[in-house]
Amino acid sequence: MSGVEVITFGCRLNTYESEVMRAEAEKAGLNNAILVNTCAVTGEAVRQARQAIRRARRDNPHARIIVTGCAAQTEKQTFAEMAEVDAVLGNEEKLKSASYRSLPDFGVSAEEKLRVNDIMSVRATAPQMIRHIDGHVRAFIQVQNGCDHRCTFCIIPYGRGNSRSVPMGAVVDQARNLTESGYCEIVLTGVDATSYGADLPGTPTLGLLAKTLLKQIPDIRRLRLSSIDSIEADRHLMDLIADEPRFMPHLHLSLQHGDDMILKRMKRRHSRAEAISFIEDVRRLRPETSFGADMIAGFPTETEEMFANAVGLAEEAAIAHLHVFPYSPRPGTPAARMPQLDRALVKERAARLREAGQRLHQTHLDSMAGTRQWLLVENNGLAHTENFTLVAAPGLRPRDLVQVAITGHNGKHLDMQLLAADAA
């Protein structure tokens, strides 16, 4: 191989950072290299990264393999001790061209491979400027990094550090840069995006940032948020939901559970009632809004009744896009020291929660039949509606915005009939 290949795991923030990594590595003159940007959210994510590294070495025996990302930050020794790995970079180092210019030679010891600093010492997030997100028709922008909260199940703060925000002007510049490159949809990403601005002068909020982007850049046709913590939603965000058609009617919530005792043991900051109230408020302001949510099944001490409350919350809130995680103990987190459930029970409950999610998704698909929708066409013959429902869009050009009539669905995605032959 030649050039720089990037293998990305995990969240949209990683997707954005992978483009920065590619640009910085190429700026440094790196060639014949594979960058693996890992995720640490579950043990399975770490296992998949290790598997990908071994496969990359088999397929590219002479390439240099550099591992970075959250798993490399939290489990640096694990990756440094892999014979397939030539260097390990931390989450701060991966975004700097100097890191790629100072890589060690092949065949060095595990300790010499390491370029990982104390992420908790990082106090700012430097703005990054990119013009392209490889393979994507929507553009991601990092607005925030790190997290000040310490949920008992979560290792991510130890991979990302404490919360820090990108100055608003830099976010506006990046969004303008991407829209000038042809992107009509922007997605704002962060580890804890709704904490945006608490560390900036004047303490702007995520909602105010979104308002500013839409006001200053008319060419943004669609604006989304990647994931939010509903307890941190501000009045500007609620204004956008109510009044701004370019703000897309889909929110992905970090719910995690539906039982108040488990939420307390997770050290979450919302209650079951608060989560439901937020969803009801949003639907009152904009009825077509769909919701996604992350939920964990099999958390330590979870009883059958507590699990039923989690399923019940998903059903009561009509979560259309449920993302289920079987609880995975992460070394160093408080939850890993709590009384654990049998792994077979964890997997069984995760399967049941996914089944509930599938039923809810079918109901959501049913509700879309007969409606008119605007689609953003993607690279794979698919598209997404404004409320982020998947639609089959064969023959349409990627990046086009088109209006369609929804004619039905096949259980996985919507079917459509084109209403407007030309892109909007």
Side-chain angles (χ1 to χ4, degrees), residues 67-69 72-73 88-95 115-117:
V67 181
T68 184
Q73 185 76 44
V88 181
L89 301 181
N91 260 334
E92 182 186 26
E93 289 77 11
K94 72 181 183 183
L95 303 176
R115 300 288 190 275
V116 181
N117 79 342

Side-chain angles (χ1 to χ4, degrees), residues 389-403:
T389 307
L390 197 62
V391 183
L396 300 182
R397 296 177 302 178
R399 290 199 188 187
D400 276 357
L401 274 175
V402 296
Q403 192 179 34

